[in-house]
Amino acid sequence: MIQRSSARRRAAATAAAVCALAVTLAGCGGTTKKDTDNSGKADSGSQAKANPDAPLKKGLKLAFLPKQINNPYLKILDTSGIGAAREFGGKGKEVGPSDASASSQVSYINTLVQQRQDAILIAANDPNAVCGPLKQAMKKNIKVVAYDSDTAPACRQLFINQAGSEEIGRSQVQHLAKQLDYKGEIAILSATQNATNQNTWIGFMKDELKKPAYKNMKLVKTVYGDDDDQKSFQETQGLLKAYPKLKGIISPTTVGIAAAARYISDSSYKGKVVLNGLGTPNQMRKYVKDGTVEQFALWDPKKLGYLGSYAAAALASGQITGAEGEKFKAGKLGEYTVGKKGEVILGPPTVFDKSNIDKFHF
Ligand code: RAM
């Protein structure tokens, strides 16, 4: 409860900054701005009036469309969301591409629209490239919920965010800086180049690095492992070779940090280059135990999927429309409130290290 309300306060305080950055970043790496509408109003669906007392409809069909199907983190999220759908008498499924690309997601959206799903939940590989078909979905009264990685606000009714994007971005720089005693060259190993969540976080990292406290730190390069294990491994290898003075790497992706840890653990950089970022405890446990990684962070992906599922059901049942201030109950997680631009925030991330990692199993 306390966590949620403080997260909401933070979200309200920082929403303007988040959006400003999101708009700036939406343009990078080839995505088009054509579909970006930051009014926060989705094309359809949000005009209807909410009935907070409406019961959750039975038999709702929810489809989860992750960035890519074989990402262990997104698998946890979707499995949990599908489980939540069973709880309220609905039917969930996961479909999606094996590569984290927006064009692959588009064909899945089109199929889901033809199938007349009640809601599509999407972790977007690009804020704008998936917009056309999602708007079509909303026109046909299919509810659209972005989770994990947002679309442009006009292309969905809700965005279920892990934690405040600003908190996620800044805290990663803060943690790494402490480990490095605020000195040295650093790099970022990201996922795909257009991923909304990654770019929003990186925007806040860069902004954090502008503060005087970090004057002796320098971000020398951002590389993209595309949430592909092998590519992330090779990018790590390339980075360390190209920047022999590199002292730290932030990898804000569960796929990236695990691959980077694997590379470093078996190299001469172990114990010399600090790796931090976002990872799952199960993938990172051995690297914490063998001393490759001291700490990393993440929220609970099970809760994120569960919250997304209930949010989609609340939309599809008319309890909420996606307007700021609306409240809905997310099963055993309790009540949540829709924030600015349809954002619902799960809560602050947890930092994992050797003192607590064995308490977490996901
Ligand atoms: C990867 C994906 C995902 C991100 C997590 C932290 O699995 O890039 O979008 O939220 O890492």
Side-chain angles (χ1 to χ4, degrees), residues 248-260:
I249 299 175
I250 297 176
S251 186
T253 136
T254 58
V255 179
I257 197 174

Side-chain angles (χ1 to χ4, degrees), residues 218-235:
K218 190 172 173 217
L219 174 64
V220 290
K221 182 90 179 158
T222 299
V223 293
Y224 298 90
D226 293 347
D227 270 349
D228 175 274
D229 174 74
Q230 211 37 46
K231 177 145 197 275
S232 306
F233 185 90
Q234 282 158 4
E235 291 291 347

Side-chain angles (χ1 to χ4, degrees), residues 67 71 73-74 148-149 162 191 197-198 201 227 252-255 278 298-299:
K67 283 177 165 179
N71 175 327
Y73 159 85
L74 289 162
D148 179 62
S149 184
Q162 297 80 347
N197 56 347
Q198 297 286 325
W201 299 333
D227 270 349
T253 136
T254 58
V255 179
L278 302 173
L298 199 70
W299 43 88

Side-chain angles (χ1 to χ4, degrees), residues 275-287:
L275 174 64
N276 207 323
L278 302 173
T280 66
N282 284 357
Q283 286 178 286
M284 296 302 289
R285 197 174 328 273
K286 68 167 178 259
Y287 304 115

Side-chain angles (χ1 to χ4, degrees), residues 76-129:
I76 305 174
L77 243 138
D78 295 352
T79 307
S80 170
I82 291 167
R86 273 197 297 275
E87 255 177 42
F88 52 74
K91 206 166 173 324
K93 67 171 178 181
E94 185 199 50
V95 293
S98 53
D99 63 318
S101 89
S103 55
S104 314
Q105 283 187 315
V106 165
S107 50
Y108 281 94
I109 299 168
N110 290 333
T111 307
L112 294 171
V113 172
Q114 275 163 17
Q115 292 171 349
R116 294 277 171 174
Q117 297 290 318
D118 292 297
I120 297 173
L121 293 101
I122 180 170
N125 283 320
D126 184 301
N128 302 308

Side-chain angles (χ1 to χ4, degrees), residues 236-272:
T236 308
Q237 190 174 22
L239 255 182
L240 290 162
K241 228 174 149 205
Y243 298 93
K245 288 196 288 181
L246 202 68
K247 291 283 180 278
I249 299 175
I250 297 176
S251 186
T253 136
T254 58
V255 179
I257 197 174
R262 194 170 82 250
Y263 177 73
I264 294 172
S265 71
D266 204 21
S267 75
S268 58
Y269 300 105
K270 184 176 169 190
K272 298 198 181 96

